[in-house]
Amino acid sequence: MKYFSFILFILSSCLVSMGSTASQIDAVVLDELLREIVDSSMSDLRHRLQEAVFATSFRRKILEQHGATSSSSESGSQKQLQNLLDDYIKPQKLSLALETFTQKPTTVHPVELVTADDVAISESGRLFKDDVEYSGDSSTWKFFQMPRVPAYVAITVVVMCILTFLMFVGTVIYFLTSKWKRKKNLKMDLPRGFLTRSQMMMPDPLSVQDQISRRHVASFTLKDQFCDPEKPKILQFGDISMAHHRIQGGVVRTDCRKSRCLSKLFDMNVFLKMEVNQDTGSFKERGARYALQNLTEEKKKAGVYAASAGNHALALSLHGKQLGVEVNVVMPIIAPLMKINRCQELGANILVKGNDIAESREIALQLAYDNQGTYINGYDHYDILAGAGTVGLEILEECPMPDAILVPVGGGGLVAGVATAVKALSPSTEVIGVVSETCQAIVKSLQAGHPVYTPTRPTLADGLAVPNAGVNAFASMIGKVDRVISVAENDIAVAILRLIENEKVVCEGAGAIGIGAILSGKLSHLKGKNVVSILSGGNIDSTSLGRCIERGLAYDHRVIRLSVIIPDKPGGLSKLTGLVGELSGNIRDLYLERAFMRNDMSSQRVKMVIEVRGKEHEDELKAKLEEEYDPENCQFKNSNRLKGL
């Protein structure tokens, strides 16, 4: 609209300019005298006759009216008048005037010879008809051009100017009303203080706006209204107690049982908080149900939105179905297919989009904004923190005054809730956060004193792969968490294996990381004490479980890899496999290599993967093979616990 009005304004200006230029040419002193347009078929003779007649009549009329003749003595003013008349009555000007100013179109009427007998000159020198009264003398003479434009041109110009003005006014009104509506919508949709000027200028590190198709164009990065970095909400114990009361009957009250095998193995009293026994296999149900219960009826009808790779999505899907709330979850493309299918079975609307949880979060925020829904952060929403804190209350009810509680840490929601509950009731209990070495967001944030964006790397504890610590969670855990330690991937793999073999519990990497922390040797000060490890989830993909078991067996010296150079002759390979069999080794894989040998042409390399009973059995097999084939021809690849694998 604004471009159309601008073009219309330019066209009308050009038309006005053309009309004024034409009027300057057409509007001469004879504007009031000439009545009809000279016929286009008039010959040169007629033109010259008209010029002569008019010139003579015009000069005589002017001089008579002002008391002067061509032969009389000339005063200063009369001389000036004579000069003006001589200059005006030139052939080119007179011809132009005669061709331009007449009364009727040339195609209709013939030429009418015009004289100056009926003209008069006013005091200012302007020409009028005889019926126009005038008086006074003039000391100076000057001819003024009287503009005369055809009626249709004048009407067109006036109409165009009016239209241009109206469209300009309409454009201004349109932009002003649009700006007002945008401000009004923002005030209605977003809470007060939703964005600060610094937040609009500083983009969220998780922003991936280029990959999002927005239905509403905004000049700022969308923010989670419940997680304001400038105004974090610190979790209060009273809200945890309220959540504990409200979710009763909606979630499973899980056991906190003592593990005899692990207690003997680690020389400490190990208790396991079995959150893997929840209906969806993780503690996320607690916060999800409490957050959905706190929604107003209007918000429930609008639905909730979330970004999750699995556990949070499952929890919302289950309890959204039970409470009659529509659940929409954006899951990254790396999410396990099993969890995606399970969420769909529970009735949730699933959108698989985004390379990681950060991109999925941006998309979910946009969808929530577009549809006036509620975005629920899986590790930083205040109600989520309160629900997670109920885990700490149940631990203290079943295991009074534990010496330490090991809490998995990703975005910080669980550790913030547990620490708030435990420190309020048992200040002497040590709360220890446990993270993967490849996911250091909470560690970097504690070092910096505020949440810091930290890219993650692939990990067995995929539930902890969060690049940003939650702002509410971080503020709530400050001063309540005693320490945070990192655990290597191999320790997580062995922890999963130990829980399967000793406790008959299938646990995901994020849930088993507490046991991995004990395996790492970094908690030796807890020997002989009561230690609770929260098994936060058991939703591990079957293919990932197989890899974890294989990695755990190798790390535990129960699967070894070796290479032996043997003679390339009949019976050579049989002799090697016979030696392994005699020592009760089980060959799982075998490969022969000849092309890349640097030894003599009569030798070959044999690479094998062998199952053994442990480190002692491995050393026994190694000694036997070195004795038979020479130590230089025998290489054991995992003598230093998986280095080189």
Side-chain angles (χ1 to χ4, degrees):
M1 180 177 178
K2 60 179 182 179
Y3 298 113
F4 177 77
S5 63
F6 178 75
I7 294 173
L8 190 59
F9 179 79
I10 294 298
L11 292 176
S12 62
S13 300
C14 294
L15 192 57
V16 170
S17 177
M18 292 171 61
S20 62
T21 303
S23 66
Q24 291 177 3
I25 297 174
D26 299 342
V28 292
V29 179
L30 306 181
D31 180 40
E32 311 293 327
L33 307 176
L34 302 180
R35 302 299 181 92
E36 295 182 0
I37 299 174
V38 181
D39 194 332
S40 59
S41 63
M42 184 174 65
S43 63
D44 291 341
L45 183 59
R46 276 186 167 185
H47 277 292
R48 292 178 182 179
L49 179 61
Q50 179 71 48
E51 291 175 5
V53 172
F54 180 81
T56 302
S57 177
F58 183 80
R59 178 184 290 272
R60 178 175 52 79
K61 182 69 173 179
I62 296 301
L63 294 177
E64 286 178 355
Q65 288 182 355
H66 294 275
T69 62
S70 58
S71 60
S72 63
S73 59
E74 298 178 351
S75 63
S77 60
Q78 293 173 346
K79 185 175 181 180
Q80 183 181 7
L81 177 61
Q82 291 281 0
N83 293 336
L84 288 174
L85 289 173
D86 292 338
D87 180 72
Y88 183 78
I89 306 176
K90 288 183 178 180
Q92 59 271 23
K93 286 190 176 182
L94 193 56
S95 297
L96 181 61
L98 291 173
E99 292 177 3
T100 306
F101 289 92
T102 52
Q103 186 175 359
K104 299 177 182 178
T106 59
T107 56
V108 178
H109 298 282
V111 174
E112 179 181 351
L113 298 181
V114 181
T115 66
D117 295 335
D118 58 346
V119 301
I121 300 179
S122 69
E123 181 180 358
S124 60
R126 189 181 297 274
L127 299 180
F128 292 94
K129 296 181 181 179
D130 285 339
D131 57 353
V132 178
E133 296 183 359
Y134 62 93
S135 61
D137 297 328
S138 176
S139 59
T140 59
W141 301 89
K142 182 181 294 185
F143 291 105
F144 293 90
Q145 294 181 342
M146 292 290 292
R148 181 173 182 177
V149 181
Y152 72 92
V153 175
I155 295 174
T156 302
V157 172
V158 172
V159 172
M160 295 294 287
C161 290
I162 294 175
L163 290 177
T164 302
F165 175 75
L166 293 177
M167 297 191 74
F168 174 75
V169 173
T171 302
V172 173
I173 295 174
Y174 170 77
F175 279 108
L176 292 177
T177 54
S178 298
K179 185 176 181 180
W180 177 78
K181 286 182 180 179
R182 286 196 297 269
K183 289 184 177 180
K184 182 179 179 181
N185 291 336
L186 287 177
K187 291 180 179 179
M188 293 176 58
D189 297 342
L190 307 179
R192 189 174 183 180
F194 183 69
L195 284 175
T196 64
R197 184 173 181 179
S198 61
Q199 288 173 326
M200 288 190 285
M201 297 177 64
M202 296 292 292
D204 188 348
L206 300 179
S207 295
V208 282
Q209 298 181 66
D210 294 340
Q211 301 181 14
I212 301 175
S213 177
R214 298 184 182 274
R215 283 178 282 176
H216 297 283
V217 179
S219 60
F220 53 86
T221 302
L222 289 176
K223 301 288 184 179
D224 185 354
Q225 58 178 313
F226 300 106
C227 307
D228 188 352
E230 295 188 357
K231 297 179 181 179
K233 297 181 180 179
I234 299 178
L235 182 62
Q236 302 298 319
F237 178 77
D239 293 315
I240 298 177
S241 299
M242 178 63 70
H244 186 57
H245 172 72
R246 293 197 64 187
I247 65 175
Q248 292 293 326
V251 299
V252 177
R253 183 184 178 90
T254 57
D255 296 333
C256 185
R257 72 188 194 194
K258 182 177 181 180
S259 171
R260 294 181 177 84
C261 293
L262 296 180
S263 298
K264 182 178 180 180
L265 181 64
F266 301 134
D267 192 21
M268 60 180 67
N269 297 321
V270 179
F271 293 83
L272 304 177
K273 179 58 175 171
M274 303 296 294
E275 287 301 296
V276 294
N277 291 337
Q278 294 289 351
D279 289 340
T280 60
S282 80
F283 78 97
K284 293 286 188 178
E285 288 190 30
R286 299 172 179 271
R289 185 173 184 87
Y290 186 56
L292 293 175
Q293 287 177 328
N294 286 339
L295 293 175
T296 62
E297 292 300 323
E298 182 180 356
K299 290 295 184 180
K300 288 181 179 180
K301 293 179 180 178
V304 297
Y305 295 80
S308 171
N311 290 342
H312 182 52
L314 288 168
L316 282 177
S317 301
L318 175 64
H319 292 282
K321 183 178 181 179
Q322 294 178 355
L323 298 174
V325 181
E326 184 183 75
V327 176
N328 307 274
V329 182
V330 181
M331 304 182 75
I333 59 177
I334 60 175
L337 182 61
M338 176 192 70
K339 295 181 180 180
I340 296 175
N341 293 336
R342 178 60 176 156
C343 290
Q344 291 175 335
E345 291 173 1
L346 291 172
N349 301 319
I350 304 300
L351 173 62
V352 181
K353 193 171 184 181
N355 294 324
D356 55 24
I357 192 65
E359 294 186 12
S360 299
R361 171 182 175 271
E362 284 293 326
I363 299 170
L365 277 170
Q366 182 64 47
L367 292 174
Y369 176 76
D370 291 343
N371 297 283
Q372 303 298 314
T374 302
Y375 177 79
I376 300 180
N377 189 305
Y379 58 85
D380 201 33
H381 193 284
Y382 189 84
D383 293 339
I384 294 292
L385 303 185
T390 62
V391 177
L393 293 182
E394 291 185 5
I395 289 175
L396 296 180
E397 290 175 358
E398 299 183 32
C399 182
M401 303 298 289
D403 295 297
I405 299 177
L406 307 180
V407 187
V409 180
L414 178 59
V415 71
V418 171
T420 301
V422 170
K423 290 299 183 180
L425 301 177
S426 179
S428 62
T429 299
E430 187 177 5
V431 178
I432 302 174
V434 187
V435 302
S436 170
E437 285 185 347
T438 62
C439 308
Q440 296 283 303
I442 199 69
V443 176
K444 300 296 183 182
S445 299
L446 289 172
Q447 292 174 351
H450 56 84
V452 176
Y453 175 76
T454 307
T456 62
R457 302 195 308 273
T459 175
L460 295 175
D462 56 347
L464 307 181
V466 179
N468 250 9
V471 293
N472 297 328
F474 184 82
S476 300
M477 66 181 287
I478 294 297
K480 302 172 186 175
V481 178
D482 297 280
R483 66 169 67 183
V484 176
I485 63 173
S486 301
V487 178
E489 291 293 293
N490 292 330
D491 290 321
I492 299 175
V494 175
I496 294 173
L497 182 61
R498 291 285 186 269
L499 289 170
I500 292 175
E501 291 183 331
N502 298 326
E503 298 299 323
K504 307 305 182 284
V505 174
V506 177
C507 192
E508 61 183 276
I513 198 170
I515 303 302
I518 301 175
L519 281 168
S520 68
K522 297 180 179 180
L523 300 176
S524 57
H525 68 287
L526 296 178
K527 287 187 179 296
K529 297 182 178 181
N530 297 329
V531 180
V532 178
S533 179
I534 301 177
L535 305 186
S536 58
N539 295 314
I540 186 171
D541 187 62
S542 56
T543 56
S544 299
L545 178 61
R547 289 194 295 268
C548 290
I549 293 174
E550 292 293 327
R551 180 70 66 89
L553 290 173
Y555 184 79
D556 206 22
H557 295 276
R558 292 161 64 183
V559 175
I560 62 174
R561 187 176 65 171
L562 57 87
S563 66
V564 181
I565 298 176
I566 64 174
D568 188 6
K569 62 180 182 180
L573 181 60
S574 176
K575 180 181 179 180
L576 174 61
T577 56
L579 288 174
V580 174
E582 290 175 5
L583 294 174
S584 301
N586 181 28
I587 300 175
R588 299 179 60 178
D589 196 7
L590 185 145
Y591 171 73
L592 299 178
E593 183 180 278
R594 293 185 177 89
F596 303 100
M597 290 292 299
R598 295 183 180 180
N599 299 67
D600 58 82
M601 297 296 294
S602 62
S603 62
Q604 61 180 336
R605 184 184 298 276
V606 181
K607 297 181 178 181
M608 294 185 294
V609 177
I610 304 174
E611 290 183 8
V612 294
R613 294 187 296 272
K615 179 63 175 173
E616 294 181 359
H617 192 191
E618 177 187 3
D619 293 339
E620 182 183 355
L621 181 61
K622 177 181 178 181
K624 183 66 175 179
L625 293 178
E626 288 179 346
E627 178 184 349
E628 184 67 30
Y629 293 103
D630 187 16
E632 295 183 356
N633 294 332
C634 299
Q635 295 181 2
F636 285 73
K637 300 297 184 181
N638 64 333
S639 296
N640 294 321
R641 304 190 76 171
L642 290 184
K643 288 185 178 180
L645 279 179

